[in-house]
Amino acid sequence: MRIVVIGTGYVGLVSGVCFSDFGHDVVCVDKDARKIDMLRSGKVPIFEPGLDRLMIRNVEAGRLTFTLDLDEAMEGAEAVFIAVGTPTRRGDGHADLTYVMAAAEEVAQKAKDYIVIVTKSTVPVGTNRKVREVVAAANPALDFDVASNPEFLREGAAIDDFMKPDRVVVGVETDRAAKVMAEIYRPLYLREFPIVTTDLESAEMIKYAANAFLATKITFINEIAALCEKVGADVKEVSKGMGLDNRIGKNFLHAGPGFGGSCFPKDTKALARIGQENASPMRITEAVISINEQVKRRMVDKLLDLCDGTFNGKVIAIMGVTFKPNTDDMRDAPSLTVVPALLGGGATVRVVDPQGRHEGEQLLPRVDWIEDPYAASQEADLIVILTEWNEFRALDLGRIASSMKTPRMADLRNIYTAEDARAAGFKAYSSVGRPDMEG
Ligand SMILES: NC(=O)c1ccc[n+]([C@@H]2O[C@H](COP(=O)([O-])OP(=O)(O)OC[C@H]3O[C@@H](n4cnc5c(N)ncnc54)[C@H](O)[C@@H]3O)[C@@H](O)[C@H]2O)c1
């Protein structure tokens, strides 16, 4: 089957590459000429483990191409996936649907024969119906269906998540559209991955409900972590003891500096907004949004304590600025709250991140980018582990402590222990939800 994917970002490119690996003929379209040029020359514009190899394999097999020209891409296509961004609209927290609607209108203008227009972007309930109206208005003669197919992949593990999903969610209105979607996901049907086929509204809601629930789980353990610090409990023990309960599960119970990324912050805001608009407030989600902001600020207070009450004149080495490891994505990363607070307080900030520099340079313009964690720690007053990249999990802490001006560590991902820090010669160690190192 010939499939068009509009948008070659984290979701569109992974979807396009994986669909071509399923054996479909896929054309990926983007408006960004720089991205299309890179893709055509065999380079992946984002960092996603394994994506380059899979992409090249399918390009070489003749199943995957890239273009700026939607007209050319649509020739003979039976389905078009809209995988463009839905960022938070300035001012009101609503998902900005400008890109989705623009793409839908372009599809309507170019399509000639029956086509299924599938929204893969995360969109508020009711959007697929609006897409249908927009397309019908732009091209009244067109024979088409809409479908909702929200994406659940995680950056950093995107290919595995796409190829071996916990489930695929498909919202449709007609059997004809259901058949096209079944054909697209046939390799997953054959391997008996669960496919939830439902109506448009439920499919749209599943995505928001899932993300808000996961964000709630993270926020819950972050609140428990703050309480653990007050009462002398260890949140890692608490998470383990909770997570072993099958009804709870161990995932998303790691205390840390607050959630970030391209999805949870904007999707929780959008769900809260949908609730307000429908006079059915999402009070838990609203609390999660505000607590998460407090969590990030609490991290700044922690660092301030470690710096004896002032950042002024301090040299601080930050390990990791992307919102999580194995991605170059900086959207809404906790580092975007923490680092400006340090700089604003008069600190010199050095940053080490295996993949974050390209995005980070614009977002964190006044920091020094250093490749090596040991070089970054030289003569520093504090090191902060902000993202748990594997590169930071087995540091020679003795070497780091002995090269620092004052050996102090904030381990905001709980990858070391106070005992590790003491044994290495650190004079102060603070983590999240666990007892600090006694002086
Ligand atoms: N990033 C994730 O981990 C993730 C996971 C699940 C769902 N989602 C959802 O998927 C959607 C896309 O997210 P993303 O992170 O891939 O976004 P992104 O910003 O990385 O990519 C979007 C791409 O769409 C292109 N684009 C915009 N309008 C276009 C148009 N009219 N024609 C052609 N190209 C156009 C942009 O140039 C850009 O390359 C969002 O709704 C997001 O919430 C993202």
Side-chain angles (χ1 to χ4, degrees), residues 160-324:
D160 241 30
D161 285 351
F162 199 96
M163 298 290 206
K164 296 182 221 153
D166 288 347
R167 77 315 205 176
V168 174
V169 172
V170 175
V172 282
E173 295 178 301
T174 66
D175 288 347
R176 199 176 178 194
K179 270 201 193 115
V180 171
M181 295 304 288
E183 183 58 28
I184 293 171
Y185 282 106
R186 206 172 125 79
L188 300 185
Y189 274 96
L190 291 176
R191 290 164 63 205
E192 295 185 0
F193 287 101
I195 314 270
V196 179
T197 304
T198 181
D199 57 277
L200 296 176
E201 283 73 18
S202 302
E204 292 166 333
M205 188 58 119
I206 287 168
K207 175 65 190 174
Y208 280 109
N211 270 4
F213 190 82
L214 294 173
T216 302
K217 218 173 160 191
I218 296 174
T219 304
F220 182 84
I221 203 65
N222 282 338
E223 261 201 325
I224 292 285
L227 185 56
C228 283
E229 287 176 20
K230 292 274 164 57
V231 300
D234 179 336
V235 76
K236 273 192 118 167
E237 298 296 314
V238 176
S239 294
K240 192 168 158 197
M242 281 175 70
L244 285 169
D245 185 328
N246 281 334
R247 295 167 304 174
I248 297 174
K250 63 182 171 32
N251 294 331
F252 287 79
L253 280 184
H254 301 287
F259 62 76
S262 62
C263 292
F264 290 173
K266 82 172 174 61
D267 294 349
T268 47
K269 281 186 201 135
L271 182 62
R273 184 74 198 165
I274 298 167
Q276 285 157 14
E277 283 173 356
N278 288 282
S280 187
M282 298 303 297
R283 284 190 292 263
I284 295 175
T285 305
E286 286 170 8
V288 163
I289 296 165
S290 106
I291 296 165
N292 194 53
E293 286 309 309
Q294 288 163 23
V295 171
K296 292 190 264 180
R297 286 198 298 274
R298 196 169 84 80
M299 298 301 121
V300 175
D301 293 341
K302 231 177 220 304
L303 304 188
L304 197 58
D305 276 353
L306 279 167
C307 285
D308 307 321
T310 178
F311 294 131
N312 200 19
K314 300 287 192 324
V315 175
I316 301 177
I318 304 280
M319 306 294 159
V321 286
T322 52
F323 85 93
K324 66 174 182 180

Side-chain angles (χ1 to χ4, degrees), residues 249-424:
K250 63 182 171 32
N251 294 331
F252 287 79
L253 280 184
H254 301 287
F259 62 76
S262 62
C263 292
F264 290 173
K266 82 172 174 61
D267 294 349
T268 47
K269 281 186 201 135
L271 182 62
R273 184 74 198 165
I274 298 167
Q276 285 157 14
E277 283 173 356
N278 288 282
S280 187
M282 298 303 297
R283 284 190 292 263
I284 295 175
T285 305
E286 286 170 8
V288 163
I289 296 165
S290 106
I291 296 165
N292 194 53
E293 286 309 309
Q294 288 163 23
V295 171
K296 292 190 264 180
R297 286 198 298 274
R298 196 169 84 80
M299 298 301 121
V300 175
D301 293 341
K302 231 177 220 304
L303 304 188
L304 197 58
D305 276 353
L306 279 167
C307 285
D308 307 321
T310 178
F311 294 131
N312 200 19
K314 300 287 192 324
V315 175
I316 301 177
I318 304 280
M319 306 294 159
V321 286
T322 52
F323 85 93
K324 66 174 182 180
N326 291 326
T327 182
D328 55 353
D329 201 337
M330 292 279 300
R331 286 178 279 186
D332 275 313
S335 63
L336 300 179
T337 301
V338 171
V339 172
L342 305 180
L343 292 167
T348 297
V349 177
R350 299 170 179 164
V351 169
V352 186
D353 192 291
Q355 294 292 337
R357 183 169 183 168
H358 180 67
E359 288 293 310
E361 269 179 336
Q362 291 144 38
L363 297 164
L364 301 171
R366 289 163 48 216
V367 306
D368 301 322
W369 294 88
I370 296 181
E371 278 188 17
D372 174 42
Y374 300 99
S377 311
Q378 290 276 338
E379 290 300 308
D381 295 278
L382 172 69
I383 72 160
V384 181
I385 296 176
L386 200 46
T387 312
E388 69 279 34
W389 283 93
N390 271 344
E391 284 84 340
F392 306 141
R393 285 182 185 273
L395 291 170
D396 181 343
L397 293 183
R399 187 174 156 200
I400 289 193
S402 63
S403 75
M404 291 177 73
K405 189 163 151 210
T406 50
R408 299 184 262 209
M409 181 185 346
D411 175 7
L412 304 184
R413 298 289 181 173
N414 293 349
I415 61 180
Y416 295 107
T417 64
E419 290 70 40
D420 296 333
R422 182 182 295 108

Side-chain angles (χ1 to χ4, degrees), residues 6-12 29-32 35 83-86 99 103 106 121-122 151 153 155 207 262-263 266 331:
I6 302 182
T8 60
Y10 291 85
V11 165
V29 184
D30 207 290
K31 283 203 163 330
D32 185 335
K35 280 191 183 173
V84 300
T86 48
Y99 305 105
E106 285 168 50
S121 302
T122 303
E151 183 50 56
L153 62 77
E155 288 174 20
K207 175 65 190 174
S262 62
C263 292
K266 82 172 174 61
R331 286 178 279 186

